[in-house]
Amino acid sequence: MNSQNSNKLYHYAGLILLSIASMTVCAEDRNLHKVEDLAYGVSIYHFNQGKYFSSITDLLVAEKNKKISNDKQNPQLLLGGLYLSYGMYSRSSDVFEKLLENDAFNVSKEVKDRAWYLSGKNFYENGMLDEAKNSLIKVKDSLKANNEEERLYWLNTIFLRKKDVVSAVDILYKMQDTSIWRYYSVFNTATYLIKAGTYAAYARQLLLDLSSIVVTNDEEKLLVDKANLALAYVSLKNEKQAEAVQHFLKIRTGGDVTSEALLGLGWAQYRNEDYDNSITSWMHLIAGQNKSDLVVQEALISIPYAYEKKKDNDQALFQYGHAIKGYKTQINETQKLVDFINSDEFIAQVSPANTGDEAPPIYDGIQNLNPLMYRYLSKLISSEKFQFSVQAYQQAKYLRYKLSRWQDSMPALKMMLNEKRSTYKNKLVKTLDDDSLDQVEGLIKRKNKFLEKVESIENDELFYELVTDEEREYIKILAAVETGLKSGLTDDVELDELKFKYRLLNGLLKWRVETDYPNRLWKVKKQANRLDEAVDGLQNRLVSLKKTFKSAPKDFAQFDARIENKESEIIQLKSRVAAEIIKQENHLRQTALNALEGHRNQIRLYHDRALYAKARLYDAMMVKE
Amino acid sequence: MKILVTIFIGIFINVSVHASEISETEATEGDAKDELVVNSEIENLKNEILELNSELFVLEEDLLFSANTQISVFVSVDVDSLFELDSIQLKLDDKVVSNYLYTAREASSLKRGGIQRLYLGNLTSGEHELTAFFVGKGPSNRDYKRAVTKIIEKSESAKFIELKIVGNVSKEQPDFIVKVWE
């Protein structure tokens, strides 16, 4: 692929990407809103990579599993945009309608505006112009500046398509002066008026304004070139050759419309009877541009006409001969291209390199196309329609891949279910029969008893229930001492001393037990809580086990039902996808052949004309002789 | 000669990309209905496959990762120039469960608000140690490797963990956070 074609291709690719990206602006700008649900974030992750199928699946699965709870609006907006990008216009429309008309969503003005805006584009894609207009008109004032300009651009386009020139023109005055969308709208409106043959002066003024904008990028430069080309055409049509020349000369050399400009320039000079310069312009065109371009082919036959006018018949004859030779080569080359398009190789080249790649870069396939395709069908290849067709074809192939994957997975899923069933039979039943479950029941009873005891200690302030082993020993000793003292085995003096010591020690012990009670009670309660949690965990597991035990057969039956018929459904869908793939292959072939046929017919026409002109010239020369 | 000029005019009309869209549409208005029927067939087919795909997706997940054992680990990035993610290694209880190398497209998608499900697996109830190693380019485009560890408690319900890479402007360093979703 030569660099010129490549640049052109990327230019158009940029336009297409721009339009797709703007379709689902909601996910593009992370500052616009915060991702509040993981499932929504996962969908955005796939969306950002152009994996619309996965992204939609993420949202559908999240909906089934009720995984989106924090943000209801934005996921719906994304879903609507995704359906739109994936060519599912009707679904997209349903989602937007639901979002806008369901009060439960409590939709903010910003979201509403974006939804109306995307919905309008959706209807437009579907060819429903009135509905598109109604949706776009409902947008209030919260769109970002660029989106607002784009909205007005679409409205202008709709009005032009509906031949409502006044409304279309009115839109132009609502747009920002330096917006690229306005430039497109101005150009579209002007060319529409020219083609319709109305408001010629106004159309010309629009083009003049456009041709004098301050350009800052390639897109604007191209628009200015096109405006000049259109102005030159209008001048040429009005027999104002000198004016046409001035407009043609403003067009850049090396731009996207240079060929057309040089051809037109030649014609303007020809009509001015400036044959030498017209030949120079056409020669320049032939030398510098793609030889297969129809514009160049037209220049080939135009040159001998100019020589004839100059009465230079020898040179005219030579140029006719040169043109005829060129046309024959072109006819042969295009035949080779016809054969290529009819071959399997053509389909192989537009197919993704890796069928499992959900979002293959469309341009990879196109870049590797047969060079003849670029030579003769560069306009088709770079057209939005053809690229969408290739993308649709690649999407269909991915669907087939996905279905095949599921088909291959079905035995594994069934095996997994059987494995679960046998695990249930062998292990779960055994586990439930196990003594350990009785032990759990015993533990629960003991725990409850312990908790009751702790409660009674706290309520009745039973300090001595929390004594340590050492203190318990002391208590026993003191009790024995007390008994001894009561029996009066010793003399009075010794007895009094012993009684005093007994009271002292008993008091100390009581003081220690009572003052440390809160601390001890807190520790015991902490232990009780831990025990409670641990036993609760055990209890939960027991409940869960029992639940599983009870529900397992029902779950298995549900799994069976969910798996059942899926295989046949997959097979049936696969056959429909296969038919769709064939349909799309034929469509791609036919589109390419139709475009080429137009080109071939034109060359044949030039060829016949050159043959006729040459014969006529010979005749004239013979008559003279 | 008029014929040639007409051809030239034809070429001019085809040159106007956006404008031609209008005339092309007019020319094919008659075919629009047929096209819509075809589109609706394709749309139905896509819709059925999407439905089936999501059903099977849920079925597979239910079958392989039941809620009481399921653990999902996600990755999100909210950092502009402080960190360029190259790869993540994820360990659960010192066992490597995932090694993921990011393509430029995936890394960019994360930066634009996407969240990746890095790992989906099964885990028994109780305490587990999760460790994630992040490899990439840090500030000033230097090689950067960081690890983050967290003890997680797996209960009877599905567990969702998010590994967040966020920019810390004051330190001019990325921060790596483990967030447990309730």
Side-chain angles (χ1 to χ4, degrees), chain A residues 453-467 513 517 521:
Chain A
K453 192 175 176 186
V454 172
E455 202 182 339
S456 73
I457 290 172
E458 189 180 12
N459 291 343
D460 303 334
E461 295 192 331
L462 304 173
F463 310 128
Y464 286 92
E465 289 293 332
L466 300 178
V467 294
V513 169
Y517 168 76
L521 183 68

Side-chain angles (χ1 to χ4, degrees), chain B residues 58-78:
Chain B
V58 175
L59 172 70
E60 188 182 50
E61 210 172 283
D62 288 350
L63 210 50
L64 302 182
F65 313 99
S66 56
N68 52 354
T69 58
Q70 192 187 104
I71 175 167
S72 301
V73 180
F74 298 85
V75 177
S76 70
V77 176
D78 190 5

Side-chain angles (χ1 to χ4, degrees), chain A residues 41 45 86 91 153 161 406, chain B residues 18 25 43 46 53 109 115:
Chain A
Y45 178 67
Y86 199 51
R91 294 288 298 154
Y153 162 80
R161 280 187 62 183
W406 280 122
Chain B
H18 278 70
T25 321
E43 185 169 346
K46 280 180 176 173
N53 189 54
S109 174
I115 297 176

Side-chain angles (χ1 to χ4, degrees), chain A residues 403-580:
Chain A
L403 288 170
S404 296
R405 282 288 301 262
W406 280 122
Q407 197 173 17
D408 294 345
S409 303
M410 291 314 285
L413 289 179
K414 282 181 179 172
M415 195 183 79
M416 190 59 69
L417 183 57
N418 288 336
E419 193 64 32
K420 277 195 162 219
R421 198 175 262 128
S422 91
T423 306
Y424 162 74
K425 277 182 185 159
N426 298 336
K427 292 186 180 169
L428 195 62
V429 176
K430 195 178 153 201
T431 308
L432 287 171
D433 287 342
D434 205 289
D435 288 346
S436 56
L437 291 180
D438 294 337
Q439 286 173 12
V440 173
E441 300 282 2
L443 269 174
I444 293 168
K445 278 180 191 163
R446 281 168 63 192
K447 179 223 41 172
N448 290 339
K449 216 170 174 182
F450 176 70
L451 292 181
E452 277 169 24
K453 192 175 176 186
V454 172
E455 202 182 339
S456 73
I457 290 172
E458 189 180 12
N459 291 343
D460 303 334
E461 295 192 331
L462 304 173
F463 310 128
Y464 286 92
E465 289 293 332
L466 300 178
V467 294
T468 63
D469 289 344
E470 191 187 16
E471 286 164 350
R472 190 161 284 115
E473 270 311 303
Y474 286 144
I475 290 169
K476 272 186 196 168
I477 293 168
L478 284 170
V481 170
E482 191 184 10
T483 314
L485 287 174
K486 279 179 184 163
S487 64
L489 290 175
T490 49
D491 59 51
D492 287 348
V493 178
E494 206 178 338
L495 187 67
D496 286 345
E497 196 181 330
L498 279 173
K499 275 183 179 171
F500 172 73
K501 281 182 183 171
Y502 165 76
R503 278 200 305 276
L504 185 67
L505 287 172
N506 201 31
L508 271 173
L509 185 67
K510 193 179 174 193
W511 178 80
R512 189 164 136 183
V513 169
E514 285 186 14
T515 52
D516 205 25
Y517 168 76
N519 188 28
R520 290 175 187 193
L521 183 68
W522 180 79
K523 278 183 185 166
V524 168
K525 279 176 81 177
K526 198 175 154 189
Q527 281 170 359
N529 284 340
R530 279 188 187 162
L531 180 69
D532 199 27
E533 279 169 18
V535 176
D536 270 356
L538 263 177
Q539 205 168 4
N540 286 341
R541 272 172 230 172
L542 185 68
V543 169
S544 166
L545 264 176
K546 283 181 176 171
K547 207 169 116 190
T548 309
F549 176 70
K550 273 188 189 164
S551 65
K554 201 174 136 200
D555 289 348
F556 294 140
Q558 277 175 356
F559 276 126
D560 278 334
R562 283 164 75 183
I563 290 177
E564 207 189 337
N565 299 329
K566 286 287 181 282
E567 253 173 329
S568 58
E569 198 178 335
I570 290 171
I571 291 167
Q572 182 253 336
L573 283 169
K574 263 183 91 176
S575 100
R576 283 169 63 192
V577 170
E580 184 57 38

